[in-house]
Amino acid sequence: GLEIRAYFDAVLISESEQLRKPQVEIFQRAMNQLGTSSATSVFIGDNPSSDIAGAKGAGIKAIWKRSLLWAEPREADAIIDELNEIPVTLERLSNY
């Protein structure tokens, strides 16, 4: 519906997968489709429980896109306010 599929190598839709974040299996399926592992993956999301906790549960580094709807998640590896911060944040995460 968002017409964004062309921008991504994999798109998983909860209804099609019959899984929902924070279930670890949906993160694992995404990594399998991308041919990657949790050690080399980063997930970016705005929901602390489904996105950040879900990614961390799957062993993935997690970047929280700040949202006024939620309290800041302590387990996030990084926090951004704008999407244009992603490249520098990824670089910083790769250095630790």
Side-chain angles (χ1 to χ4, degrees):
L2 297 173
E3 298 182 11
I4 60 172
R5 190 172 301 271
Y7 297 102
F8 299 95
D9 293 329
V11 175
L12 281 76
I13 300 169
S14 293
E15 291 77 23
S16 301
E17 300 298 322
Q18 298 183 349
L19 294 167
R20 298 191 70 77
K21 296 177 293 182
Q23 290 176 281
V24 171
E25 190 176 349
I26 196 162
F27 294 93
Q28 291 170 333
R29 284 186 189 179
M31 288 185 288
N32 288 341
Q33 284 187 22
L34 293 167
T36 190
S37 70
S38 59
T40 59
S41 298
V42 176
F43 189 88
I44 302 167
D46 65 351
N47 185 299
S49 60
S50 63
D51 296 331
I52 305 306
K56 297 303 288 182
I60 302 170
K61 287 183 182 175
I63 299 173
W64 184 54
K65 164 65 173 77
R66 194 180 312 273
S67 169
L68 299 176
L69 300 175
W70 311 104
E72 190 171 297
R74 292 184 206 173
E75 64 271 17
D77 294 294
I79 297 172
I80 60 173
D81 291 299
E82 302 294 333
L83 296 178
N84 64 3
E85 298 173 55
I86 293 170
V88 70
T89 303
L90 290 174
E91 185 175 322
R92 193 177 83 241
L93 285 176
S94 70
N95 290 326
Y96 84 86

